[in-house]
Amino acid sequence: MFKFRISFTAFVLIASLLFLTGMIPTAPAEGMYPLSEIHKLNLKDAGLKINLTEIYNPEGVGLVDALVKVGGCTGSFVSGDGLILTNHHCAFRALNKASTTENNYLENGFLAKSKEEEIPAEGYTCRITESYEDVSDQVLSAIEGIDNLAERSKIISEKMEEIGKAASSEDKSIIGQVSEMFKGKTYVLFKYRVIKDVRLVFAPPRTIGEFGGETDNWIWPRHSGDFTFMRAYVAPDGSAAEYSKDNVPYKPKKYLKINPNGVNEGDFVFILGYPGRTYRNRPSQFLEYQNNYQLPYIAATFEWMIEQLENIGKGNPELELKFATQIKRLANTMKNYKGKLLGLKRIPIIQQKKQEENELQKFIDSNPELKSKYGRLLYDIDIVYNKIFQIAQADLWFRVFNRFSITRNLINTIFEFKKETEKPEDERKEIFKDSNRKDLLKKIDGMFSELNKEFERRFLAKMFTDALNFKSTSKIKAIEELTDNGKNISAITEFVDSTVMKSEIFNKESYLNLLFKEDVSFETQPLFVFFEKLKSQNEQIINERDKTNGALTKLSAELIEVKRLWKNKDFIPDANGTLRLTYGRIKGYSPADAVYYSPVTSLKGVIEKSYLGKEYQIPQKLRELFDLKEFGKFYSKKINGVPVNILYNTDTTGGNSGSPIMNAYGELIGLNFDRAFEATINDFAWNDAYSRSIGVDIRYILWITHKFSGATDLMKELGVM
Ligand code: ASP
């Protein structure tokens, strides 16, 4: 049921371009291919044994119809009754939310013995791609004749939203969303079917689902059972509906067939999924920005936050449970960023990019026509990035502060509420409409339940102190004023302890009074004056960001154009959360001098690691099954044991977690969940030497489901009993 529409002229243009340049790739080394590109691939030569139409069929049904986007990850339907297979770490937040210290599903696992026992995965929705359509002309026509750069980027965002809204159904069962494929150049409207009732069906205990914890995260060799089953439900008429016991399991157009025999080293595999973000089409300055600002700042700040959360929660099971998801997310990003920083040291990607840009400049200069059109392009990009570098510290600081400070979010909600409610109801932001009061109160409840005052106190002091070290173009003005330009550092503790922490806003009742009370004057209250200053500087920064974004929208489009002419080839759009295909082989690698890693781990490795204790603890039953050699049909002769994790050279990134790994026949043989440490720089440049993704072998999933958990009904539903 996939439909792709593209104007005839665009089609002729693209087709002739492809023909002229002869750039249809046969065996590309990298690539997260959008569906519009896969017909250009020679997958049969690469090892595929089925027809492309069985993967993606615009006129009928294909494997892509079994794919879902769930909880920021990917999942796939594995039964006709809406059963979804995804990662344990993707369902982690739902398991965390559903757990109490008495009924701790996160620690002990969860198995619904019948559909009635399945529990709502709070806050989770699913999206299924229904169709896509090139809308570049519509989007770009909106900025014709507009020179103001900040305006341009705003207009593009508004236009994208407008097109998306117009394509959404009234009941929101189908929503439209426009994605930017190439900045300032290509825009595609995706229509998604939305499912709002998602439930937990089966998750292994944390000691299996997250075996190896943060020590093993982003690491090969790996031995994690990172999988969970969920189920999608809809209203009896098939429309999207919030949780209700009257809802019925969703009947997907397609579900994946499991091959319980798994794969072997060297086998062809392909992956469908929703990779989040890559940055390969960006200029060298973007990598400098990452290397010098974003990666070190975020990694260090998150590391500090994790330490505090662990320290505050220590010995308090309730707090430990409350912080679990937060800590996991911070740790995941922190380690990824550390991997990237190390990778940028070990592999000269930035220098290579610079070198490439020098050569590009020579190519441009060699042709008068190109020179007059693109002669200044690289220079102009440099100017924009210099502006970005000037305010990078402040910009990143605000991003972190706005995301994590509950004080800031409570106070900003008051500011916004006051401003919005001065407008007529229909002109207000959705959340501030009187008719949506319920949603506003829910949001506030959420903030209060996230709040931990001790963490907040430490966080504010840390953020304010850090900001004193920023360069002059990145100073946070309110903090400079508070500390007399850094001369009086103790003013920070004084302000945080006496003015912020003693404020009535932390009492929910007082907060709501303040929010809804008319005629409150904030000008005399130091707390509000301070946060108002922060807010206004943040707005200036957002405005700057819009300007640089607007400039880059134009320049990036030109960069891609001229690179196309230079390299005589087409480029694959960076990952942007839309459905992609990638393929490769089960393959080992050499991460360091004198080290070679083979690509399959086994249950024996789980047992070996278990003697290290701590994050490698395993349930007693797992050890017993191993001792009894209860491997059933999941035993592999080739590796003399039950395969646990597999390694392959496909091209994946964050968001690909939970993606089905399929064999040459399109059968499910594993579940993608991570990358090797060296592969974290994949997001900047793919390379067969270090780009390796990690998945759970289907045999381990089935062995745990069947032998460890005795979930025979589930095995029957999967068609493997
Ligand atoms: N672990 C990642 C995720 O959560 C997958 C990856 O980045 O390779 O999506």
Side-chain angles (χ1 to χ4, degrees):
M1 250 301 277
F2 260 86
K3 284 199 195 87
F4 175 52
R5 274 183 275 148
I6 182 169
S7 74
F8 183 68
T9 7
F11 173 75
V12 173
L13 205 75
I14 294 171
S16 37
L17 246 171
L18 287 175
F19 179 74
L20 282 174
T21 56
M23 64 199 168
I24 301 170
T26 46
E30 65 168 296
M32 298 174 178
Y33 296 91
L35 297 179
S36 57
E37 306 300 303
I38 60 175
H39 64 281
K40 298 174 195 163
L41 302 173
N42 200 340
L43 289 178
K44 283 261 161 91
D45 272 3
L48 186 72
K49 297 274 191 271
I50 53 175
N51 291 325
L52 263 186
T53 49
E54 291 175 62
I55 297 179
Y56 163 53
N57 183 356
E59 304 306 328
V61 177
L63 295 174
V64 296
D65 293 302
L67 266 285
V68 293
K69 197 170 181 171
V70 57
C73 295
T74 302
S76 56
F77 288 116
V78 284
S79 91
D81 257 354
L83 190 67
I84 293 169
L85 177 60
T86 186
N87 290 143
H88 181 268
H89 81 263
C90 299
F92 193 93
R93 182 168 46 97
L95 288 162
N96 194 175
K97 274 228 149 164
S99 294
T100 58
T101 42
E102 293 80 43
N103 255 335
N104 200 330
Y105 303 132
L106 190 57
E107 292 305 326
N108 308 326
F110 170 77
L111 172 63
K113 298 237 169 57
S114 64
K115 292 202 176 74
E116 289 68 40
E117 284 187 16
E118 294 172 1
I119 44 178
E122 228 187 289
Y124 279 60
T125 55
C126 286
R127 280 183 178 199
I128 304 158
T129 306
E130 287 275 317
S131 67
Y132 65 98
E133 176 186 349
D134 191 304
V135 291
S136 311
D137 292 349
Q138 264 186 75
V139 173
L140 295 173
S141 65
I143 51 162
E144 257 167 43
I146 311 253
D147 295 325
N148 181 312
L149 296 177
E151 273 294 284
R152 282 171 71 95
S153 88
K154 261 197 214 135
I155 293 175
I156 288 188
S157 309
E158 280 163 18
K159 191 71 194 176
M160 286 166 74
E161 216 179 304
E162 181 193 313
I163 298 173
K165 250 195 190 153
S168 306
S169 67
E170 211 157 287
D171 67 351
K172 296 270 185 293
S173 284
I174 299 289
I175 62 155
Q177 188 174 12
V178 176
S179 295
E180 185 174 66
M181 309 307 275
F182 287 106
K183 219 174 180 32
K185 221 170 161 49
T186 320
Y187 295 83
V188 172
L189 166 67
F190 289 87
K191 284 193 192 161
Y192 297 100
R193 173 166 301 282
V194 177
I195 289 173
K196 295 184 185 155
D197 181 356
V198 185
R199 303 184 195 174
L200 286 163
V201 177
F202 168 57
R206 196 171 175 178
T207 44
I208 291 175
E210 203 193 9
F211 179 76
E214 278 314 313
T215 309
D216 271 13
N217 196 14
W218 302 110
I219 295 290
W220 183 263
R222 193 70 159 273
H223 298 84
S224 169
D226 194 348
F227 75 94
T228 287
F229 288 97
M230 298 172 111
R231 197 185 302 278
Y233 283 82
V234 287
D237 68 358
S239 63
E242 303 283 348
Y243 172 84
S244 154
K245 59 175 179 15
D246 300 330
N247 286 349
V248 294
Y250 174 68
K251 304 277 180 206
K253 278 184 228 161
K254 177 86 187 168
Y255 64 90
L256 300 183
K257 180 173 176 269
I258 287 178
N259 184 333
N261 300 321
V263 269
N264 294 308
E265 179 163 3
D267 283 0
F268 169 86
V269 289
F270 73 98
I271 285 179
L272 290 164
Y274 287 95
R277 288 240 157 259
T278 54
Y279 309 95
R280 296 170 193 164
N281 293 325
R282 310 262 181 139
S284 60
Q285 293 88 343
F286 175 80
L287 295 184
E288 286 175 329
Y289 168 79
Q290 291 287 317
N291 193 42
N292 301 339
Y293 296 100
Q294 175 155 336
L295 301 174
Y297 177 70
I298 302 287
T301 310
F302 283 12
E303 185 160 26
W304 178 90
M305 289 170 72
I306 295 162
E307 256 170 51
Q308 305 308 311
L309 290 167
E310 283 177 351
N311 170 281
I312 296 168
K314 205 170 185 159
N316 182 333
E318 254 164 53
L319 280 184
E320 277 175 355
L321 200 56
K322 175 176 166 134
F323 296 151
T325 299
Q326 175 93 307
I327 291 178
K328 188 173 169 69
R329 287 186 175 173
L330 293 169
N332 193 48
T333 304
M334 179 196 68
K335 198 162 175 190
N336 174 300
Y337 281 18
K338 285 187 174 179
K340 286 191 166 100
L341 281 167
L342 185 66
L344 287 173
K345 283 202 178 76
R346 289 170 43 153
I347 298 156
I349 300 180
I350 302 183
Q351 294 85 321
Q352 281 161 8
K353 262 229 150 131
K354 282 198 175 295
Q355 175 74 22
E356 191 188 53
E357 285 161 5
N358 286 339
E359 277 158 28
L360 174 62
Q361 187 68 52
K362 281 189 205 146
F363 168 73
I364 295 171
D365 291 344
S366 70
N367 174 320
E369 211 178 301
L370 290 180
K371 193 170 177 186
S372 80
K373 195 163 177 206
Y374 301 110
R376 276 186 58 90
L377 175 62
L378 294 170
Y379 179 70
D380 287 344
I381 290 177
D382 208 46
I383 295 180
V384 177
Y385 271 96
N386 271 322
K387 288 193 185 138
I388 294 177
F389 296 158
Q390 294 307 318
I391 56 164
Q393 289 174 312
D395 185 20
L396 285 165
W397 186 91
F398 273 110
R399 285 177 200 253
V400 173
F401 189 68
N402 297 351
R403 162 75 188 83
F404 294 104
S405 169
I406 305 279
T407 315
R408 180 264 177 200
N409 292 332
L410 286 171
I411 293 178
N412 262 38
T413 304
I414 298 184
F415 288 156
E416 273 207 87
F417 180 81
K418 302 281 179 205
K419 198 172 121 202
E420 289 290 314
T421 46
E422 274 170 14
K423 301 179 192 167
E425 167 92 353
D426 59 342
E427 286 172 26
R428 297 181 199 170
K429 283 187 187 159
E430 283 301 314
I431 188 109
F432 296 114
K433 289 186 172 161
D434 291 342
S435 54
N436 288 338
R437 190 52 53 88
K438 214 173 71 236
D439 294 340
L440 177 64
L441 292 174
K442 202 167 154 198
K443 187 178 154 204
I444 292 168
D445 274 346
M447 291 192 257
F448 273 96
S449 71
E450 218 185 293
L451 176 70
N452 175 276
K453 278 188 80 179
E454 179 52 24
F455 176 76
E456 185 70 17
R457 187 183 69 74
R458 297 185 193 186
F459 181 69
L460 293 178
K462 153 91 177 157
M463 291 299 284
F464 294 172
T465 313
D466 280 357
L468 292 176
N469 297 320
F470 293 168
K471 61 179 169 192
S472 59
T473 47
S474 257
K475 292 280 184 207
I476 309 294
K477 290 179 205 137
I479 301 169
E480 290 297 303
E481 281 172 34
L482 177 73
T483 59
D484 190 12
N485 295 320
K487 286 194 248 10
N488 179 12
I489 299 185
S490 60
I492 289 180
T493 337
E494 169 67 20
F495 178 72
V496 171
D497 289 351
S498 311
T499 309
V500 186
M501 297 323 294
K502 291 197 180 130
S503 159
E504 57 179 343
I505 61 161
F506 296 119
N507 175 307
K508 194 155 145 204
E509 212 175 297
S510 317
Y511 176 81
L512 291 176
N513 271 338
L514 203 59
L515 181 73
F516 296 124
K517 192 160 81 183
E518 285 172 18
D519 301 328
V520 244
S521 94
F522 295 117
E523 295 86 34
T524 53
Q525 304 186 43
L527 176 70
F528 291 93
V529 174
F530 180 85
F531 277 89
E532 177 61 53
K533 281 186 204 151
L534 285 182
K535 183 168 175 279
S536 112
Q537 187 177 357
N538 188 29
E539 280 161 4
Q540 283 166 20
I541 286 188
I542 292 173
N543 192 269
E544 280 305 311
R545 210 190 285 157
D546 282 343
K547 276 195 220 153
T548 49
N549 240 333
L552 286 177
T553 302
K554 187 167 162 287
L555 298 171
S556 309
E558 291 175 7
L559 184 63
I560 279 287
E561 263 164 34
V562 71
K563 273 175 94 173
R564 262 181 198 156
L565 293 172
W566 179 38
K567 296 262 172 166
N568 205 12
K569 72 163 195 169
D570 225 350
F571 292 88
I572 300 299
D574 270 314
N576 59 355
T578 58
L579 192 51
R580 303 290 175 102
L581 175 141
T582 170
Y583 63 95
R585 285 183 185 276
I586 305 286
K587 191 172 172 186
Y589 82 124
S590 169
D593 191 27
V595 182
Y596 175 76
Y597 284 148
S598 56
V600 185
T601 61
S602 75
L603 195 53
K604 186 165 147 269
V606 177
I607 305 297
E608 281 169 4
K609 280 185 177 172
S610 75
Y611 300 122
L612 300 170
K614 288 200 178 137
E615 289 172 294
Y616 296 109
Q617 283 167 44
I618 51 168
Q620 184 53 27
K621 185 167 176 195
L622 199 91
R623 196 181 300 282
E624 284 164 16
L625 289 171
F626 178 79
D627 289 341
L628 292 170
K629 295 199 166 46
E630 282 280 342
F631 304 142
K633 63 175 179 184
F634 309 113
Y635 172 83
S636 153
K637 248 201 200 146
K638 281 224 163 74
I639 63 155
N640 188 21
V642 177
V644 173
N645 286 169
I646 45 178
L647 191 73
Y648 35 92
N649 66 349
T650 58
D651 189 359
T652 61
T653 187
N656 265 125
S657 279
S659 297
I661 314 167
M662 285 166 277
N663 64 12
Y665 299 93
E667 297 161 338
L668 184 78
I669 49 82
L671 187 60
N672 184 72
F673 71 96
D674 209 6
R675 276 169 291 160
F677 199 55
E678 295 73 23
T680 47
I681 49 163
N682 223 17
D683 298 350
F684 304 144
W686 185 94
N687 192 308
D688 190 41
Y690 59 73
S691 291
R692 289 293 180 280
S693 311
I694 303 174
V696 199
D697 192 299
I698 195 68
R699 288 165 286 192
Y700 193 51
I701 297 177
L702 296 174
W703 186 76
I704 293 288
T705 306
H706 187 199
K707 296 280 176 192
F708 178 82
S709 297
T712 39
D713 285 348
L714 204 53
M715 292 292 283
K716 279 186 204 142
E717 190 175 347
L718 294 171
V720 283
M721 271 304 264

